């Protein structure tokens, strides 16, 4: 299966700082999703993107669907301790090529109070 | 809305036995369910895609005779790990997807931790 390249692998930031992470792929995706996963739990959907160039916000989170449809980024503004966790991007292949979702390698975020 | 449950949350079994994991979409009908496997501190690896009423599509390298998937209804999919061995110990996560407003949404279950002794 495919795996998306996600960077950075991990981040340690001070509370209040902004965070940026991105995801790239050699394949074109129809949908980009961003998830947060806490230890021992399933991922929770944060933001979904459906069109190339789309910029979507969810509170302090902002994500964009790259124009080439091969990349996406997620920004978190004014980080707080509860933002700690692992963030995954996921891309969905076009319907006629299988419709599966594939995940990025993850970004581990630590927020220092 | 969009709640997905998994049962059991945690299972310990002896080598050679089979284990069944259930995935249910509680408040929506899922056209497709996915099964993932996750090792500690690693990403989710797609194992198979399951459409209601049809055979599952397995990713390359995943043994379909070892990981049996049944998707009997729009709200239930099961994964059976047959003749489990210690190397099958992992965190198994399902997700349910529906097509709404011309787009797919995917929601995850809480995961099942399998330990094979």
């Amino acid at each position: 299966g495919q795996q998306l390249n996600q960077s950075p692998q991990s981040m340690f930031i001070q509370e209040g700082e902004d965070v940026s992470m991105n995801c790239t792929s050699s394949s074109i995706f129809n949908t980009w999703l961003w998830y947060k996963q806490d230890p021992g739990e399933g991922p929770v959907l944060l933001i979904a993107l459906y069109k190339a160039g789309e910029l979507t916000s969810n509170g302090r989170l902002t994500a964009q669907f790259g124009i080439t449809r091969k990349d996406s980024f997620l920004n978190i503004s004014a980080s707080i301790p509860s933002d700690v966790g692992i963030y995954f991007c996921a891309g969905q292949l076009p319907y006629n090529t299988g419709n599966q979702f594939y995940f990025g390698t993850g970004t581990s975020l630590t927020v220092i109070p | 809305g969009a709640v997905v449950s998994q049962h059991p949350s945690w299972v310990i079994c002896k080598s050679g036995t089979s284990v069944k994991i259930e995935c249910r979409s509680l408040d929506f009908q899922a056209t497709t369910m996915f099964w993932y496997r996750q090792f500690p501190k690693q990403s989710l690896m797609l194992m198979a895609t399951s459409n209601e009423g049809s055979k599952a599509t397995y990713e390359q390298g995943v043994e379909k005779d070892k990981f049996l998937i049944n998707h009997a209804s729009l709200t239930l999919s099961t994964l059976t790990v047959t003749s489990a061995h210690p190397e099958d110990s992992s965190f198994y996560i399902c997700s349910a997807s529906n097509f709404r407003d011309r787009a797919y949404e995917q929601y995850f279950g809480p995961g099942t931790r399998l330990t094979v002794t």
Side-chain angles (χ1 to χ4, degrees):
Chain A
Q2 300 196 32
Q3 193 154 68
L4 311 181
N5 297 313
Q6 191 172 339
S7 64
Q9 183 176 359
S10 60
M11 302 179 72
F12 294 80
I13 61 168
Q14 295 283 348
E15 182 177 358
E17 290 184 342
D18 297 342
V19 173
S20 184
M21 60 191 78
N22 68 74
C23 214
T24 61
S25 169
S26 58
S27 300
I28 290 175
F29 289 102
N30 267 5
T31 302
W32 282 95
L33 306 170
W34 284 92
Y35 291 87
K36 178 173 183 264
Q37 185 179 28
D38 292 326
E41 297 182 14
V44 174
L45 181 65
L46 300 175
I47 291 181
L49 302 160
Y50 300 110
K51 295 180 183 177
E54 179 181 353
L55 183 71
T56 297
S57 293
N58 177 9
R60 294 179 295 106
L61 279 60
T62 302
Q64 184 158 31
F65 192 143
I67 291 290
T68 64
R69 294 168 63 193
K70 294 182 178 181
D71 64 313
S72 177
F73 72 76
L74 173 70
N75 286 343
I76 305 173
S77 62
S79 59
I80 58 178
S82 61
D83 290 335
V84 166
I86 301 179
Y87 292 79
F88 290 102
C89 64
Q92 184 186 29
L93 291 174
Y95 183 78
N96 60 351
T97 58
N99 209 27
Q100 296 95 325
F101 289 90
Y102 292 99
F103 277 75
T105 46
T107 295
S108 175
L109 177 63
T110 301
V111 180
I112 303 167
Chain B
V3 178
V4 178
S5 70
Q6 272 184 250
H7 176 81
S9 301
W10 197 356
V11 57
I12 301 174
C13 70
K14 291 190 175 181
S15 186
T17 62
S18 295
V19 174
K20 180 185 283 188
I21 303 170
E22 290 186 350
C23 177
R24 293 181 185 272
S25 57
L26 299 184
D27 52 1
F28 68 100
Q29 292 187 324
T31 53
T32 306
M33 288 186 171
F34 302 90
W35 286 95
Y36 296 84
R37 185 174 180 176
Q38 186 178 34
F39 291 106
K41 298 185 178 181
Q42 294 189 22
S43 186
L44 287 76
M45 297 300 295
L46 179 65
M47 298 174 67
T49 302
S50 169
N51 292 300
E52 184 262 344
S54 61
K55 290 184 178 180
T57 301
Y58 290 81
E59 293 297 297
Q60 191 172 11
V62 178
E63 300 175 60
K64 61 180 181 181
D65 294 330
K66 175 128 182 103
F67 299 99
L68 300 178
I69 292 173
N70 184 284
H71 194 159
S73 74
L74 284 171
T75 59
L76 173 64
S77 176
T78 61
L79 168 69
T80 302
V81 183
T82 62
S83 186
H85 290 96
E87 59 265 29
D88 297 325
S89 299
S90 188
F91 193 50
Y92 292 87
I93 309 175
C94 73
S95 71
S97 177
N98 63 350
F99 193 71
R100 186 166 68 185
D101 296 330
R102 294 178 294 174
Y104 284 89
E105 297 179 343
Q106 182 183 208
Y107 298 92
F108 283 85
T112 296
R113 182 161 302 284
L114 170 64
T115 301
V116 184
T117 61

